[in-house]
């Protein structure tokens, strides 16, 4: 967090350990962090496997060779199984804030690789940057949620259009983008957590769009899952915002 000392927002977090704050980035530092996360995750997974094997053992159920090996290591006594720091694998969050000039966002670098594998490692990856086009395309395409504030650069907008090119033409996207970001501090959300892409103004309004014409209607968010499946047929009974 190069911006940690200048952004009071970080001080509002309830569970931010000072030891987890790093002002200077390096790939070696991130690798160390990832190794620690992986070790904790594997320890918790091993603990759960031992518990499962022991329950099968006392129930006189058949055990696999791997389960027998796990129980052999604790002498078939559950009291010999040390409790890990986390009994279930924790989900970790890594925040990379204001690191555009650090060289971290290489096209085939560590962060690009992590953006592809983070879900398998049970890691939430947050990237905060002032220039979206400086983030490698592979990272942007892997993002489940993109919150994009106002840019006036045509080049950046064209780069962002690639994220929705399968469902929107460039003119439609540009109109949606500028209208969604027209109010102060407002942003366009590209939500990839559903089967189909959902566009929102901030996190509150689903943006209805028609592929053939750049017309936009907004409706107060009610059921994201339902709206995302039917976004091309959303009515406007609630009226335009």
């Amino acid at each position: 967090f190069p911006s940690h000392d200048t952004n009071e927002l970080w001080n509002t977090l309830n569970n931010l350990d000072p030891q987890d704050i790093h002002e200077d980035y390096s790939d070696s530092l991130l690798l160390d962090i990832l190794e620690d996360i992986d070790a904790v995750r594997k320890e918790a997974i091993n603990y759960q496997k031992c518990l499962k094997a022991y329950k099968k053992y006392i129930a006189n159920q058949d055990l696999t060779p791997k389960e027998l090996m796990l129980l052999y290591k604790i002498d078939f006594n559950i009291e010999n199984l040390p409790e890990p720091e986390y009994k279930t694998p924790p989900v970790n969050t890594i925040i990379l804030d204001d690191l555009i000039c650090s060289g971290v966002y290489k096209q085939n670098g560590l962060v690009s690789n992590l953006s592809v594998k983070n879900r398998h490692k049970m890691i939430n990856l947050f990237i905060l940057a002032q220039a979206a086009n400086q983030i490698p395309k592979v990272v942007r395409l892997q993002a489940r949620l993109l919150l994009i504030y106002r840019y006036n650069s045509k080049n950046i907008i064209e780069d962002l259009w690639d994220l929705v090119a399968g469902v929107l033409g460039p003119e439609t996207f540009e109109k949606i983008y500028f209208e969604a970001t027209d109010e102060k501090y407002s942003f366009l959300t590209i939500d990839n957590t559903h089967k189909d892409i959902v566009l929102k103004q901030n996190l509150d309004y689903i943006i209805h769009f028609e592929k053939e014409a750049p017309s936009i209607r907004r409706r107060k968010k009610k059921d994201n899952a339902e709206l995302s499946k039917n976004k091309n047929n959303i009515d406007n009974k609630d009226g335009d915002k």
Side-chain angles (χ1 to χ4, degrees):
F1 298 112
S3 66
H4 175 265
D5 291 336
T6 58
N7 191 339
E8 289 295 324
L9 175 65
W10 304 122
N11 296 323
T12 67
L13 300 178
N14 293 327
N15 299 309
L16 180 59
D17 192 321
Q19 294 183 351
D20 291 333
I21 301 170
H22 305 279
E23 295 187 5
D24 298 314
Y25 174 86
S26 69
D27 281 355
S28 61
L29 172 61
L30 182 54
L31 281 172
D32 288 342
I33 293 171
L34 294 176
E35 288 178 2
D36 288 342
I37 289 174
D38 198 47
V40 170
R41 181 176 62 87
K42 288 180 178 178
E43 186 179 46
I45 291 173
N46 186 71
Y47 180 80
Q48 290 295 324
K49 288 181 177 180
C50 281
L51 286 181
K52 181 180 178 181
Y54 186 76
K55 289 178 181 178
K56 290 175 65 176
Y57 168 67
I58 61 177
N60 292 319
Q61 297 178 2
D62 292 336
L63 298 168
T64 67
K66 289 184 177 180
E67 289 173 331
L68 284 169
M69 183 61 67
L70 288 172
L71 294 177
Y72 175 78
K73 291 179 179 180
I74 62 172
D75 198 24
F76 292 84
N77 187 345
I78 196 64
E79 293 183 1
N80 294 331
L81 178 62
E83 287 192 6
E85 182 180 3
Y86 297 94
K87 294 183 179 181
T88 56
V91 176
N92 293 271
T93 297
I94 294 178
I95 302 173
L96 303 176
D97 179 30
D98 202 15
L99 292 175
I100 287 294
C101 297
S102 69
V104 60
Y105 300 121
K106 301 171 186 175
Q107 193 63 39
N108 297 309
L110 180 58
V111 172
S112 294
N113 183 267
L114 178 60
S115 72
V116 176
K117 299 180 178 180
N118 66 306
R119 286 183 288 277
H120 302 292
K121 296 179 179 291
M122 299 182 69
I123 295 173
N124 290 321
L125 183 61
F126 287 77
I127 295 177
L128 286 67
Q130 295 185 21
N133 61 340
Q134 296 298 312
I135 306 298
K137 187 174 181 179
V138 64
V139 177
R140 286 181 274 153
L141 291 175
Q142 290 294 324
R144 302 285 284 170
L145 279 173
L146 294 102
L147 280 57
I148 308 165
Y149 287 83
R150 186 64 171 255
Y151 291 103
N152 290 316
S153 170
K154 191 79 171 178
N155 291 335
I156 292 179
I157 297 169
E158 290 175 354
D159 285 341
L160 295 174
W161 170 66
D162 284 347
L163 302 172
V164 295
V167 295
L168 281 178
E171 292 182 359
T172 305
F173 174 70
E174 184 174 338
K175 179 176 176 62
I176 289 174
Y177 171 74
F178 279 117
E179 185 164 336
T181 60
D182 188 53
E183 300 172 12
K184 191 174 183 180
Y185 304 127
S186 64
F187 53 87
L188 172 67
T189 298
I190 301 177
D191 185 348
N192 292 309
T193 62
H194 307 286
K195 181 180 178 181
D196 299 313
I197 291 177
V198 177
L199 301 180
K200 304 175 186 177
Q201 182 186 42
N202 304 328
L203 298 173
D204 301 316
Y205 288 91
I206 304 293
I207 297 176
H208 169 82
F209 59 87
E210 297 177 3
K211 297 179 182 179
E212 297 180 356
S215 61
I216 306 167
R217 299 194 303 273
R218 299 192 192 91
R219 175 175 171 170
K220 190 70 175 178
K221 178 180 64 178
K222 288 186 177 179
D223 185 342
N224 280 355
E226 179 182 349
L227 286 171
S228 66
K229 292 178 182 178
N230 303 285
K231 66 177 184 300
N232 288 325
N233 297 309
I234 293 175
D235 60 28
N236 197 32
K237 294 180 180 179
D238 294 336
D240 293 345
K241 178 180 174 248

